[in-house]
Amino acid sequence: MKPTKKFGVQIKKIMKISELNKKIKKCDKCGLIETRINALCGEGNLKAKLMLIAQAPGENEDKQGRMFIGPSGKVLDKLLENAQINRKEIYMTNLVKCTLPKNRKPKQDEIEICCKYLEQEIALINPGFLVPLGFYVTKYIFEKYSFPQFSRKEFHEITGKLVLNDNRKVFPLTHPAALLYNDSFKDIVKKNYKKLKILSFTCKWYNCCPLKWFYEKGKLDRKWIELYCQGDWESCVRFQMEERYEYHPDNMLPDGTIDEKMRI
Ligand code: SF4
Ligand code: SF4
């Protein structure tokens, strides 16, 4: 039987990722080679909609050469379980592929050299959503895709909020390891991770929603579809009103404002 085109594309992707992973495993491009045991490759579903990007491997990950197997991995598993997400559904990788001595923050030159691998992973997997975990990874992703910059203090304000730029959807989250040191914000972190499930599906009302019609007729900017209908539909005001059986006009946007230009 002749392989289908889709199957051929998938095989090519597997081959390219495996070539990339071989390069990562042998990499000696920065000083972190001195202190690492294993350079960690990404793991998971090559067709994933969600790509979780952590900062760098921890001690256990470095020893065993696997993603998220130490204490922060246990926290991640609980957060994913609570969100009803299986590790097999997602792709996980690191910004810096080798462990950082004493868990220090990554240096700018280490990020600049190592991020080339992440860029290739993003291009190959092409996930619907990039999910940077923690401040440094989010800062890198925001810079790369020209999102507004933010300070350390402002980081918690952008976690759990979907943003879109350059056709890239980014959903920053708190790194699970943060809960090992301070679990006072556990509830908000759990709530934000639960959104990963929301992002995995298109809104159930999409096929009969007037906004789909407006979009297909060129009367609605694609950003509304990306950010809400095929993104965080739970935050859509129309969706919330629909669920409460409340009247809402056809020209109401997902943020609740009325667009007078939209007329059927
Ligand atoms: S951190 Fe990245 S660039 Fe540095 S040695 Fe490891 S894989 Fe290579
Ligand atoms: S506009 Fe809102 S209710 Fe309509 S499909 Fe999009 S998310 Fe769902």
Side-chain angles (χ1 to χ4, degrees):
M1 203 170 47
K2 216 174 145 194
T4 61
K5 199 175 164 199
K6 229 173 159 184
F7 182 69
V9 171
Q10 189 61 8
I11 294 287
K12 263 193 195 158
K13 195 194 253 191
I14 294 170
M15 283 166 63
K16 283 186 177 165
I17 279 281
S18 111
E19 269 169 42
L20 176 64
N21 288 348
K22 274 186 206 156
K23 280 190 205 159
I24 294 172
K25 280 183 187 155
K26 287 193 296 195
C27 179
D28 59 0
K29 288 189 179 154
C30 85
L32 290 173
I33 190 184
E34 304 295 337
T35 42
R36 76 159 191 232
I37 299 171
N38 284 296
L40 248 71
C41 309
E43 299 179 3
N45 190 333
L46 301 187
K47 291 193 271 184
K49 249 187 159 182
L50 304 165
M51 181 187 268
L52 270 59
I53 310 167
Q55 180 175 288
E59 199 187 333
N60 292 286
E61 287 78 8
D62 180 43
K63 277 185 194 151
Q64 296 188 44
R66 300 291 315 274
M67 289 283 305
F68 277 119
I69 43 144
S72 57
K74 287 201 177 99
V75 178
L76 176 70
D77 283 341
K78 278 197 187 138
L79 290 165
L80 292 178
E81 193 188 333
N82 187 52
Q84 296 181 318
I85 296 260
N86 191 305
R87 273 199 192 208
K88 287 183 189 150
E89 293 170 51
I90 59 177
Y91 194 82
M92 298 183 297
T93 192
N94 283 296
L95 169 61
V96 174
K97 310 296 184 196
C98 299
T99 195
L100 297 156
K102 296 190 179 143
N103 280 333
R104 67 159 165 79
K105 64 180 194 184
K107 292 179 189 162
Q108 196 52 32
D109 62 327
E110 291 161 350
I111 294 177
E112 275 165 24
I113 301 169
C114 205
C115 71
K116 303 286 178 283
Y117 295 128
L118 175 64
E119 283 167 16
Q120 289 176 62
E121 286 175 303
I122 294 173
L124 286 168
I125 309 285
N126 195 22
F129 301 89
L130 298 178
V131 184
L133 305 177
F135 176 74
Y136 290 106
V137 186
T138 306
K139 204 166 154 43
Y140 164 77
I141 293 287
F142 268 44
E143 255 168 40
K144 165 113 188 101
Y145 295 101
S146 312
F147 288 102
Q149 280 305 294
F150 56 89
S151 66
R152 181 117 217 178
K153 265 191 185 162
E154 290 161 334
F155 176 58
H156 73 278
E157 289 164 26
I158 59 165
T159 54
K161 292 191 182 74
L162 180 64
V163 287
L164 167 80
N165 209 8
D166 279 353
N167 284 328
R168 270 288 164 217
K169 288 191 268 189
V170 178
F171 186 69
L173 285 176
T174 307
H175 193 287
L179 292 185
L180 294 170
Y181 307 107
N182 176 4
D183 75 349
S184 63
F185 46 89
K186 187 174 70 189
D187 291 345
I188 180 77
V189 174
K190 271 167 91 175
K191 190 170 159 236
N192 289 342
Y193 270 77
K194 265 186 136 173
K195 286 254 176 195
L196 292 176
K197 192 72 183 175
I198 306 288
L199 303 182
S200 306
F201 298 97
T202 297
C203 174
K204 65 179 178 181
W205 300 115
Y206 187 54
N207 282 331
C208 56
C209 185
L211 265 62
K212 179 176 186 266
W213 187 88
F214 284 123
Y215 169 62
E216 286 170 353
K217 294 284 170 211
K219 296 180 182 192
L220 180 74
D221 193 300
R222 178 147 185 87
K223 76 171 186 190
W224 296 106
I225 307 293
E226 291 288 353
L227 286 173
Y228 291 92
C229 316
Q230 291 167 5
D232 183 6
W233 42 264
E234 199 186 43
S235 298
C236 171
V237 176
R238 294 186 65 92
F239 173 84
Q240 292 162 2
M241 293 178 84
E242 195 73 50
E243 293 295 291
R244 295 193 299 263
Y245 305 105
E246 283 173 16
Y247 168 75
H248 46 285
D250 286 346
N251 59 349
M252 177 190 268
L253 293 168
D255 66 357
T257 56
I258 303 294
D259 187 336
E260 295 296 349
K261 294 190 294 301
M262 290 200 308
R263 295 243 179 260
I264 291 186

